[in-house]
Amino acid sequence: MRDWIKPALGRFLDRLLLRSALGATERQAILDLPARAMRADVDHDFVHVGDKVTHACLVVDGLIARFAQISSGERSIVALHIPGEMADLHSVVAPNVTWALHAMTPSTIVQIPHAALRDLTVRFPAIAVAFWRDCVTDANVLAQWTVNLARKDATARVAHLLCEMLTRYSTMGLAQQQSYAFAITQTNLADALGLTQVHLNRTLKRIKEAGLAIKQPDRVIIHDLAGLAALAEFDPAYLQLVGDRAPS
Amino acid sequence: MRDWIKPALGRFLDRLLLRSALGATERQAILDLPARAMRADVDHDFVHVGDKVTHACLVVDGLIARFAQISSGERSIVALHIPGEMADLHSVVAPNVTWALHAMTPSTIVQIPHAALRDLTVRFPAIAVAFWRDCVTDANVLAQWTVNLARKDATARVAHLLCEMLTRYSTMGLAQQQSYAFAITQTNLADALGLTQVHLNRTLKRIKEAGLAIKQPDRVIIHDLAGLAALAEFDPAYLQLVGDRAPS
DNA sequence: CGCATACTTGAAATAGTTCAAAAGACGTGG
DNA sequence: CCACGTCTTTTGAACTATTTCAAGTATGCG
């Protein structure tokens, strides 16, 4: 039943190791973290604004969004998290929830107690740095989204997100060639891109007609990555995949 | 000549203490950090994209922007940093620069070697958490900016930034009643808000005419904070000023 | 098979941009 | 201390990307 807890922690460890070097003891300590599995229903918040949380959520399966609700009822997605990522590692140091967590598809997540994570940071300074660095990487993605929202038109914004998600699914080993399972509705995608659903639809159509990429209901297929990246001015440097993995 | 290095570190410590509890030894360790003063000329980058940096920059005086340059020549400001804040504490764990640092006004900054900061995180887990938390707070500001850019119109965006900066200057003890020294040009402000300079100018005019606030060349004066905050849907929760300052 | 949800398309409205030029501020040197 | 050049702010008018409203077509689930 919960034999995927270990693999899930393994994938989280892999993600940390992409950017941080950890010794054998430290790696084992991550794998031995206590965890509890949980299902998150589609279109449901499972962490609410104002809550004070005591565990962090590791995405095992599905697609998780961090988002804000404006008074007008409009929503804005502030981050997307795919399997292997911690949706709210930051909550370890900031447990007062300011952005809800919401399942975009039926998802599986694993809850890891803050106490256990904190304990690791005290015992292993290298793990403290790895967690800190993971949050900094998330923040860098957010900074890039800010740039896209502030200064790029709808087409470039969509193209950029398609490139970013390909890169992220790829590095987690979850992409097939130039295609990845991305079961997000156009309405939700629009909320992540600061567009209306209608305009996103037209923009996707234009991207399809230009032969660059196709968004299917549950999948993205990229036909011309170079063209898409050029349109988006996509430079993956901000994802910090070429980190020097400094030893501490 | 550099007798303001100690006060600068003191102000940085104060900022950390707003959100993190630190013991006497830890506090002293922060105050004893090695630091080197530096002037940053107006309208000049002092940290460049692609650089690999070896020290973090603490703002002593002036106004610092982290920003991106788009191919079209357009710029986008991703963060503003006021005195007492570290403009790039994240560089300790991610030294490859992805966003330039730029002085909006003639500024004084103090450089603190990464090695010294890292050393503190190893010796004092509570300091590691405090630094991590500081970066998470910065990321939360970025998330709020994302929401503003994605879903709020020009007026609400401007109003929101005016409220945010009042709060931030206030908590650093740098505001006078409802007014603060904010010497940023309209062009730069527009780059922080994802607007054109022309439209920002008109928006500021409307805010002034509504009796909400006035932006002078070197200062912001807020006349109706409640009105401005309502217009902006400003809720300071994201600034994490009411943290529980957990002991570690 | 029918209902609900997601996607697609059209036409009108608008917030924000672009281009262009004038007016104001500010420091520097004659 | 006035004249001059530069930089910032202000204003106008035409234009365009995106939104809004509204309706229709797929798609999938029970």
Side-chain angles (χ1 to χ4, degrees), chain A residues 132, chain B residues 16 20-22 25-27 29-30 117 120-133:
Chain A
W132 178 7
Chain B
L16 292 178
S20 306
L22 295 174
T25 328
E26 290 151 347
R27 292 201 297 268
I30 300 267
L117 292 164
L120 287 196
T121 66
V122 173
R123 280 163 50 211
F124 305 106
I127 291 184
V129 168
F131 287 173
W132 178 8
R133 183 174 287 136

Side-chain angles (χ1 to χ4, degrees), chain A residues 117-128:
Chain A
L117 292 163
R118 258 172 202 261
D119 178 56
L120 287 196
T121 66
V122 173
R123 281 162 51 212
F124 305 106
I127 291 185

Side-chain angles (χ1 to χ4, degrees), chain A residues 19 52 66 68-72 74-78 89-96 98-99 118 121-122 125 128-129 131-133 135-136 138-140 142-152 187 190-197 233 237-240 242-244 246-248, chain B residues 19 52 66 68-72 74-78 89-96 98-99 118 121-122 125 128-129 131-133 135-136 138-140 142-152 187 190-197 233 237-240 242-244 246-248:
Chain A
R19 303 182 178 88
K52 171 147 182 164
R66 201 174 337 148
Q69 189 107 24
I70 307 287
S71 70
S72 59
E74 284 185 302
R75 302 183 331 157
S76 176
I77 292 177
V78 147
L89 185 54
H90 54 267
S91 70
V92 174
V93 294
N96 295 307
T98 44
W99 319 101
R118 258 172 202 261
T121 66
V122 173
V129 168
F131 287 172
W132 178 7
R133 182 175 289 137
C135 286
V136 165
D138 275 0
N140 234 17
L142 216 34
Q144 182 63 54
W145 284 27
T146 298
V147 174
N148 294 342
L149 285 164
R151 293 289 180 227
K152 291 184 186 165
T187 304
D191 284 338
L193 289 163
L195 298 170
T196 55
Q197 181 269 324
E233 296 193 47
Y238 73 99
L239 293 170
Q240 289 173 197
V242 287
D244 35 4
S248 92
Chain B
R19 302 180 179 88
K52 172 149 181 161
R66 201 172 339 145
Q69 188 108 24
I70 308 286
S71 69
S72 59
E74 283 185 303
R75 302 182 332 155
S76 176
I77 291 176
V78 146
L89 185 54
H90 55 268
S91 70
V92 174
V93 294
N96 296 307
T98 44
W99 318 101
R118 261 173 200 259
T121 66
V122 173
V129 168
F131 287 173
W132 178 8
R133 183 174 287 136
C135 286
V136 165
D138 274 0
N140 234 16
L142 216 35
Q144 183 62 53
W145 283 28
T146 297
V147 174
N148 294 342
L149 286 163
R151 292 289 179 229
K152 291 184 186 163
T187 305
D191 284 337
L193 291 163
L195 299 170
T196 55
Q197 180 271 324
E233 295 192 48
Y238 73 99
L239 292 170
Q240 290 174 194
V242 285
D244 35 4
S248 94

Side-chain angles (χ1 to χ4, degrees), chain A residues 183-204:
Chain A
I184 188 172
T185 62
Q186 292 188 358
T187 304
N188 285 328
L189 202 47
D191 284 338
L193 289 163
L195 298 170
T196 55
Q197 181 269 324
V198 171
H199 195 60
L200 172 70
N201 179 278
R202 296 194 235 263
T203 306
L204 283 172

Side-chain angles (χ1 to χ4, degrees), chain A residues 96-108:
Chain A
N96 295 307
V97 177
T98 44
W99 319 101
L101 289 182
H102 187 96
M104 304 269 94
T105 69
S107 302
T108 311

Side-chain angles (χ1 to χ4, degrees), chain B residues 54 68 95 99-100 105 107 109 134 158 186 208 215 224 229 233 243:
Chain B
T54 57
W99 318 101
T105 68
S107 302
I109 66 166
D134 201 65
V158 172
Q186 293 189 359
K208 177 164 78 182
K215 168 76 179 74
D224 176 4
E233 295 192 48

Side-chain angles (χ1 to χ4, degrees), chain B residues 100-180:
Chain B
L101 289 182
H102 187 96
M104 304 269 93
T105 68
S107 302
T108 311
I109 66 166
V110 139
Q111 299 182 312
I112 304 175
H114 286 169
L117 292 164
R118 261 173 200 259
D119 178 56
L120 287 196
T121 66
V122 173
R123 280 163 50 211
F124 305 106
I127 291 184
V129 168
F131 287 173
W132 178 8
R133 183 174 287 136
D134 201 65
C135 286
V136 165
T137 302
D138 274 0
N140 234 16
V141 171
L142 216 35
Q144 183 62 53
W145 283 28
T146 297
V147 174
N148 294 342
L149 286 163
R151 292 289 179 229
K152 291 184 186 163
D153 65 16
T155 318
R157 240 136 82 190
V158 172
H160 198 283
L161 189 67
L162 295 183
C163 290
E164 174 182 315
M165 295 316 290
L166 174 65
T167 309
R168 287 168 61 185
Y169 276 100
S170 271
T171 55
M172 297 304 295
L174 296 171
Q176 297 77 42
Q177 293 110 244
Q178 310 272 280
S179 154
Y180 52 99

